[in-house]
């Protein structure tokens, strides 16, 4: 199956997803990896990321692009620097991300009235409209990826994942 | 805090981790993101990845490099193509990954006696020695990232994550 979409082009080869990833191959000794929470997260992330890209390819939407659209839609007046922090990406990354969403016609930069150096982000009407369909596709993808879990297990998983991080961090 | 290490150089800007990522900022409306298993995984992955890079910087070890070292150590006769599949990366990626581990002096390619076109991977004695220290550092990092979970919760989390994926896949 061809998996090279335009959204993957910027990934370095070692982060590109190869064909036929199986999260646990019988007969292979995974050693310590099987006991690491971090490896379990990474393994799930690879599967989810791959399926997300395929499911959202019609809209050219990647996981960070989707998160950005949702956050911009729901938090009026959001600046690029806020978005970078919320997404956990570098400033140079958020500029590239915003450029991409602007090129798709989904987002526009609006000069802030209170801070001349800052731009606020907002959805265009095309962006709002697309987001409905995109969100439905993401929900479907997410349900598919967690279809072997009950609703209670899904909630439990989300709760446990929210507690991952250095002990000092308050959530 | 300066976070640019040599291991991050190959990441595209949108995948670089920015300073001060907080997984859940009070007052921000995350909308549907809070109900998606995929977003919970992504958020945890960003925190874990960042901490991993910092903790393993003394050895120049990234998560894929660590997984590769463990798999090579525990599965004698492993070929590059096997490794690509196990790690879920593209073939071009596994070549880059192996090159990196060879440059560090941890891994060597050995021509297969049964298949002239294939190379098998094995640890050097320096690689075996380094892996003990690296594994200890990874365990410490992993324990730190899941320090707010009990042992039972950690096991539960690993089990739930192992069931993420399309329904058809057997594990």
């Amino acid at each position: 199956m061809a998996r090279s979409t335009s959204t993957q082009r910027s990934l370095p080869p070692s982060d590109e997803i190869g064909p036929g990833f199986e999260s646990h191959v019988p007969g292979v000794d995974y050693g310590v990896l099987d006991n690491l929470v971090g490896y379990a997260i990474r393994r799930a992330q690879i599967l989810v990321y791959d399926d997300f890209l395929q499911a959202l390819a019609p809209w050219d939407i990647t996981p960070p692009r989707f998160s950005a659209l949702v956050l911009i839609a729901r938090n009026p007046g959001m600046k690029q620097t806020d978005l970078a922090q919320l997404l956990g990406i570098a400033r140079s990354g958020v500029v590239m991300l915003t450029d991409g969403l602007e090129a798709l016609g989904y987002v526009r930069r609006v000069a802030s009235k209170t801070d001349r150096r800052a731009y606020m982000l907002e959805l265009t009407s095309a962006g709002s409209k697309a987001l409905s369909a995109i969100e439905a596709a993401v929900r479907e993808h997410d349900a598919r990826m967690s279809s072997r879990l009950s609703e209670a297990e899904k909630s439990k998983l989300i709760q446990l994942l929210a507690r991952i991080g250095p002990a000092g961090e308050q959530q």
Side-chain angles (χ1 to χ4, degrees), chain A:
Chain A
M1 189 189 304
R3 301 217 180 178
S4 45
T5 70
S6 63
T7 52
Q8 285 183 293
R9 256 179 230 144
S10 63
L11 292 173
S14 64
D15 281 8
E16 270 177 33
I17 293 151
F21 174 60
E22 287 179 56
S23 64
H24 212 287
V25 176
V28 172
D29 182 352
Y30 286 82
V32 67
L33 299 177
D34 276 338
N35 302 316
L36 296 172
V37 172
Y39 188 71
I41 293 171
R42 180 175 173 77
R43 179 185 270 168
Q45 164 70 7
I46 292 173
L47 289 167
V48 170
Y49 188 83
D50 185 27
D51 192 86
F52 189 108
L53 287 187
Q54 289 185 56
L56 277 296
W59 294 272
D60 209 7
I61 289 294
T62 60
R65 283 181 173 180
F66 176 65
S67 304
L69 286 177
V70 171
L71 291 167
I72 293 166
R74 302 191 72 99
N75 299 277
M78 175 165 292
K79 293 176 199 162
Q80 279 197 124
T81 47
D82 300 333
L83 189 61
Q85 193 200 351
L86 293 179
L87 297 177
I89 59 179
R91 275 188 84 152
S92 55
V94 84
V95 171
M96 210 170 83
L97 184 66
T98 308
D99 286 349
L101 291 170
E102 232 177 20
L104 288 168
Y106 294 164
V107 163
R108 66 173 154 246
R109 290 171 165 100
V110 183
S112 165
K113 283 169 187 161
T114 53
D115 179 356
R116 286 194 200 170
R117 293 161 307 173
Y119 284 96
M120 296 187 309
L121 303 172
E122 58 183 39
L123 292 197
T124 62
S125 58
S128 295
K129 202 174 159 186
L131 184 53
S132 300
I134 288 167
E135 197 172 304
V138 172
R139 282 181 194 273
E140 199 184 308
H141 141 81
D142 203 73
R144 184 168 58 249
M145 297 312 285
S146 51
S147 60
R148 284 181 289 174
L149 303 183
S150 68
E151 286 304 314
E153 286 171 328
K154 271 191 230 183
S155 298
K156 184 73 186 167
L157 176 55
I158 291 175
Q159 281 167 33
L160 291 171
L161 286 169
R163 286 159 59 202
I164 290 295
E169 193 190 340
Q170 299 303 314
Q171 307 226 6

